[in-house]
Amino acid sequence: GDNAAAALGEGRRSGTAGAATRRVRAALVVAELALSLMLLVGAALLIVSFRRLVDVSPGFQVRDILTMRVTLPQARYGDQSRVTEFFESLLARLRAAPGVEAAAAITMLPFSGSDGRASFLVEGRRAAPPAPVRARPIAISPDYLQTMRIPLLRGRYLSARDADGRREVVILNESATRRHWPGEDPVGRRISFAQPKPRWLEIVGIVGDVKSKSLDVDSEPEAYLSYWQKAVVESTRGMSVVVRTTAPIDAVAPLLRTAVAELDRDQPIGPIRPMDVPSSRATRVDPLSALREP
């Protein structure tokens, strides 16, 4: 009798232990399935977000563009007219080089990380706006926007005739128009970055937005000024030269070095690179962003 009772008790304990083991195993299986499902959903959302980001246009045509940074030393190029003459001569040489379709220069290349927004006055606007009237002033050679194939929405592009000094002009991007002239056409209006004594710039054109920071960051208001104009609010001794090529990049890159050396053999240049959207920023995607969208 005692042996039978002991055996029965042992069987009950074994059965209880077996049931507990089965429950633990079942829980582990459920947890593994849940984790696998979460990983699959996360991967799917990441792919969707990445595809959406890839479809975002940077606002200019990236293909077939070479870039080169040139910073002229203050000691030899202290006068702004010498700076402008150097870059004009450099661009003229590059445009005449084989395999070059167009060449231009800009102080702040897209995706360069620069952020130099400045306040400006709007002629005839007396009431203080609810938010500061600001934009990023960027000095460019007159044909930069065409070289990068940034679309003209209204008005006209800058041109060489804007350097004659009779009137100073500026081109705004679409974000500046939407933010500071909602529902209006600012072409023909005048603004001034110089304060308190204004130096008026006539708005002659509106161009499309360019992604200046990364593809997943909205464009900021920007103002493009010809580097010939005295109203340029920053030094242009440091410029990024952009060249649109019709020949293989490897064949054109040496021409850039040669053109600089012919003008100033002691002038160093930065790396010559193809223009591209930085992959480190382009892939910085929040995989859960799709869940938060309406």
Side-chain angles (χ1 to χ4, degrees):
D2 292 341
N3 291 337
L8 182 60
E10 185 67 27
R12 287 175 179 172
R13 285 193 295 273
S14 299
T16 302
T21 300
R22 287 192 295 273
R23 285 195 296 270
V24 170
R25 287 177 178 172
L28 288 174
V29 170
V30 171
E32 288 177 356
L33 288 173
L35 180 59
S36 298
L37 182 60
M38 288 177 61
L39 291 174
L40 286 173
V41 171
L45 291 176
L46 183 61
I47 292 171
V48 170
S49 298
F50 182 76
R51 284 181 175 175
R52 185 185 301 117
L53 196 58
V54 168
D55 290 337
V56 174
S57 169
F60 59 92
Q61 191 176 101
V62 178
R63 187 177 177 182
D64 300 326
I65 287 285
L66 272 179
T67 70
M68 171 183 67
R69 187 73 182 176
V70 179
T71 302
L72 302 176
Q74 174 74 27
R76 297 201 307 274
Y77 296 91
D79 184 72
Q80 182 61 33
S81 62
R82 289 204 64 198
V83 173
T84 307
E85 288 170 4
F86 174 91
F87 282 108
E88 279 295 294
S89 298
L90 175 60
L91 295 178
R93 289 172 182 267
L94 293 175
R95 293 180 191 120
V100 172
E101 178 183 329
I106 181 172
T107 48
M108 293 188 295
L109 202 64
F111 305 111
S112 64
S114 301
D115 186 7
R117 285 174 290 177
S119 299
F120 62 86
L121 302 173
V122 178
E123 187 179 34
R125 186 177 291 181
R126 297 181 180 179
V133 183
R134 304 179 70 192
R136 183 183 296 111
I138 305 173
I140 60 173
S141 61
D143 52 356
Y144 169 80
L145 299 168
Q146 299 97 309
T147 298
M148 297 294 282
R149 297 182 182 170
I150 298 171
L152 179 68
L153 305 181
R154 290 192 295 281
R156 66 171 177 86
Y157 286 117
L158 297 177
S159 71
R161 70 175 183 269
D162 294 321
D164 60 14
R166 286 180 294 180
R167 64 171 182 167
E168 294 183 325
V169 300
V170 63
I171 287 180
L172 302 181
N173 70 346
E174 194 172 14
S175 286
T177 302
R178 282 197 306 265
R179 183 172 301 184
H180 302 312
W181 288 271
E184 301 180 47
D185 182 359
V187 173
R189 302 285 295 273
R190 297 202 301 174
I191 66 173
S192 173
F193 285 100
Q195 301 180 38
K197 185 179 179 180
R199 190 184 187 103
W200 297 112
L201 303 163
E202 181 182 346
I203 302 169
V204 295
I206 308 297
V207 296
D209 286 338
V210 168
K211 295 287 187 178
S212 296
K213 294 182 178 179
S214 66
L215 291 180
D216 55 347
V217 175
D218 291 338
S219 300
E220 292 287 340
E222 293 180 336
Y224 297 97
L225 303 92
S226 171
Y227 67 178
W228 279 107
Q229 297 180 161
K230 295 180 180 179
V232 172
V233 294
E234 60 182 299
S235 169
T236 56
R237 286 189 297 107
M239 301 283 284
S240 290
V241 175
V242 296
V243 173
R244 183 167 294 282
T245 70
T246 57
I249 286 177
D250 292 343
V252 177
L255 302 179
L256 275 67
R257 299 187 187 92
T258 300
V260 173
E262 288 175 348
L263 290 172
D264 186 341
R265 67 177 65 182
D266 298 321
Q267 176 59 45
I269 62 173
I272 299 174
R273 301 189 180 102
M275 183 72 203
D276 199 4
V277 177
S279 58
S280 60
R281 298 182 185 183
T283 56
R284 193 179 300 165
V285 182
D286 178 4
L288 298 181
S289 61
L291 293 178
R292 294 192 288 268
E293 294 184 357

